[in-house]
Amino acid sequence: ARTIERLAGHWRNLLRAIASQGVDQPVADLPLLGDEEQRLILGRWSRTEGVYPGEHCVHVLIEAQAQRTPEAIALVFGDQTLTYRELDGQANRLAHQLRAMGVGP
């Protein structure tokens, strides 16, 4: 019953948005979630705070992770993925190219 009520609320939100924004709006751009549900999902459930070891730069942490789990997925963008090994390799190539161009700290 709770799931049906939640889905009905999503349907009402969608219909309200269509009524107020017009039928030419792409459905993907219309809201399904109410304010409270959006705050819950984006606020409470999406918390990813963590302790960042401030004594190391991010490139050092990525290198260390690449040594521990080289084949683990580090980045996802659309249907493209990079492993930690690939990310570290691309970062090193970029760093060498920048240094060759005279870029420094």
Side-chain angles (χ1 to χ4, degrees):
R2 288 176 46 188
T3 300
I4 296 300
E5 288 173 16
R6 193 175 71 250
L7 292 174
H10 294 167
W11 182 245
R12 282 190 301 273
N13 290 335
L14 181 62
L15 292 176
R16 280 189 198 109
I18 291 170
S20 68
Q21 297 178 21
V23 294
D24 294 330
Q25 187 80 12
V27 174
D29 293 342
L30 297 172
L32 288 177
L33 305 178
D35 292 339
E36 183 180 331
E37 192 173 13
Q38 188 169 9
R39 275 192 300 277
L40 176 67
I41 291 171
L42 297 178
R44 229 168 77 203
W45 292 354
S46 296
R47 287 196 176 124
T48 57
E49 295 96 0
V51 177
Y52 177 77
E55 67 273 5
H56 299 293
C57 295
V58 71
H59 72 281
V60 173
L61 298 173
I62 291 172
E63 287 174 352
Q65 188 66 39
Q67 289 175 358
R68 285 191 303 273
T69 58
E71 300 309 317
I73 301 298
L75 298 172
V76 176
F77 178 74
D79 61 350
Q80 300 174 352
T81 61
L82 278 180
T83 65
Y84 278 98
R85 179 192 322 265
E86 292 167 331
L87 176 61
D88 188 44
Q90 287 191 18
N92 284 332
R93 283 189 292 282
L94 176 60
H96 286 30
Q97 183 178 5
L98 291 172
R99 284 186 176 167
M101 295 169 66
V103 176

